[in-house]
């Protein structure tokens, strides 16, 4: 096995996170986090990442999770960031600014790679600023599943109910109930073998979860980075 090191980046609506993974996907530097610059436009975000990079020593390549639809490194949507992201080639910008090969994927897709077992239908939801979703079949990703923006109830989307804004608007108790309701709905829709719940707010869940649902540590968002280099 090669001994390539990967700088794993997680761009979030609230925080930017980073650490270096060894060839087996184990972290070799401490995770660092800074607030996402506001306005969260492409240039300030890439510059903030470049500054964070100083704390992480040397590495060979970059994996980046981004909070929107990403195709071939090019951002298509960025609902929780600011400015002109759609059409921005983040992969190319990272390659140019960091001087290393870089791959970019949706943040929930990356998180999912860090959480799944690779058997049957596995669904991943991330509860953070937005609501991310990722679907895997026998370990193969169906990229860019965007459940967050689908109608959930009362004319509002899943993300509006159970993303950060929903948690603030409806309070902790109702937010928990809403997450429980969303899980029940998605269980019927996907008939998944297992559902993993990650993201910064997952640890705030106070719900009795069915046996095939588990909460994963938010750092899975970075650990999955290694999978982007599995060809
Ligand atoms: C975006 C998703 C993203 C999720 C979590 C949603 O608003 O549409 O692409 O995965 O937020 O960041």
């Amino acid at each position: 096995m090669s001994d390539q090191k990967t700088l794993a980046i997680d761009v979030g609506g609230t925080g930017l996170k980073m650490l270096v993974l060894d060839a087996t996907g184990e972290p070799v530097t401490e995770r660092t986090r800074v607030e996402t610059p506001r306005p969260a436009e492409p240039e300030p975000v890439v510059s903030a990442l470049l500054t964070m990079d100083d704390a992480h020593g040397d590495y060979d390549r970059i994996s980046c999770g981004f909070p929107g639809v990403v195709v071939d490194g090019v951002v298509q949507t960025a609902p929780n960031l600011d400015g002109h992201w759609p059409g921005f080639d983040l992969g190319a910008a990272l390659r140019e600014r960091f001087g290393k090969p870089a791959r970019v994927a949706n943040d929930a897709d990356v998180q999912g790679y860090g959480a799944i077992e690779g058997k049957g239908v596995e669904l991943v939801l991330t509860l953070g600023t937005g609501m991310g979703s990722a679907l895997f079949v026998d370990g193969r990703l169906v990229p860019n599943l965007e459940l967050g923006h689908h109608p959930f109830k009362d004319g509002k989307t899943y993300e509006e109910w159970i993303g950060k804004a929903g948690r603030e608007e409806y309070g902790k108790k109702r937010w928990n109930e809403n997450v429980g309701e969303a899980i029940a709905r998605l269980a019927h829709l996907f008939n998944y073998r297992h559902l993993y719940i990650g993201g910064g707010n997952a640890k705030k869940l106070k719900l009795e979860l069915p046996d095939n649902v588990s909460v994963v540590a938010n750092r899975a968002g970075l650990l999955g980075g290694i999978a982007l280099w599995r060809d």
Side-chain angles (χ1 to χ4, degrees), residues 67-69 79-80 106-108 126 130-132 146 149 159:
V69 174
N80 294 305
N106 172 265
D107 55 357
T126 65
M131 189 198 96
E146 286 282 313
H149 303 290
E159 179 160 302

Side-chain angles (χ1 to χ4, degrees), residues 168-221:
E168 282 162 6
E169 186 173 342
Y170 303 111
K172 291 176 201 165
K173 187 166 176 283
R174 258 191 100 191
W175 177 79
N176 270 282
E177 288 163 5
N178 288 329
V179 175
E181 224 178 301
I183 292 173
R185 176 96 57 98
L186 296 172
H188 284 297
L189 182 60
F190 289 98
N191 294 296
Y192 46 70
R193 205 185 124 262
H194 203 95
L195 168 67
Y196 304 88
I197 305 182
N201 282 339
K203 58 180 177 291
K204 298 177 184 158
L205 270 180
K206 297 206 162 44
L207 269 186
E208 196 136 339
L209 296 171
D211 286 347
N212 64 342
V213 179
S214 50
V215 170
V216 294
N218 197 26
R219 71 181 204 136

Side-chain angles (χ1 to χ4, degrees), residues 4-225:
Q4 301 239 56
K5 289 201 183 99
T6 305
L7 179 72
I9 299 174
D10 183 27
V11 174
T14 311
L16 307 176
K17 287 140 266 171
M18 192 178 273
L19 54 67
V20 173
L21 302 170
D22 70 12
T24 65
E26 284 301 310
V28 291
T29 62
E30 287 294 315
R31 184 184 94 137
T32 56
R33 181 188 184 282
V34 301
E35 292 294 303
T36 305
R38 287 289 166 190
E41 292 170 356
E43 169 51 32
V45 168
V46 173
S47 294
L49 292 173
L50 203 53
T51 308
M52 287 175 80
D53 162 74
D54 292 345
H56 292 278
D58 206 16
Y59 52 85
D60 304 284
R61 57 196 188 182
I62 300 170
S63 287
C64 177
F66 181 85
V69 174
V70 180
V71 178
D72 295 334
V74 181
V75 173
Q76 313 292 316
T77 66
N80 294 305
L81 301 179
D82 312 300
H84 305 289
W85 285 96
F88 182 68
D89 192 336
L90 180 56
L94 294 174
R95 279 192 285 280
E96 195 180 305
R97 298 284 292 278
F98 287 70
K100 300 277 161 127
R103 293 187 180 173
V104 186
N106 172 265
D107 55 357
D109 290 352
V110 176
Q111 175 109 21
Y113 276 125
I116 58 159
E117 252 184 81
K119 282 195 247 157
V121 175
E122 293 174 282
L123 184 69
V124 180
L125 295 182
T126 65
L127 305 175
T129 313
M131 189 198 96
S133 51
L135 182 64
F136 294 83
V137 184
D138 292 333
R140 272 191 74 114
L141 173 70
V142 179
N144 292 312
L145 179 75
E146 286 282 313
L147 283 176
H149 303 290
H150 276 252
F152 177 37
K153 57 178 180 170
D154 299 343
K156 290 190 180 176
T157 63
Y158 284 89
E159 179 160 302
E160 286 173 298
W161 280 102
I162 66 179
K164 185 177 172 209
R167 189 178 152 84
E168 282 162 6
E169 186 173 342
Y170 303 111
K172 291 176 201 165
K173 187 166 176 283
R174 258 191 100 191
W175 177 79
N176 270 282
E177 288 163 5
N178 288 329
V179 175
E181 224 178 301
I183 292 173
R185 176 96 57 98
L186 296 172
H188 284 297
L189 182 60
F190 289 98
N191 294 296
Y192 46 70
R193 205 185 124 262
H194 203 95
L195 168 67
Y196 304 88
I197 305 182
N201 282 339
K203 58 180 177 291
K204 298 177 184 158
L205 270 180
K206 297 206 162 44
L207 269 186
E208 196 136 339
L209 296 171
D211 286 347
N212 64 342
V213 179
S214 50
V215 170
V216 294
N218 197 26
R219 71 181 204 136
L222 290 163
L223 302 186

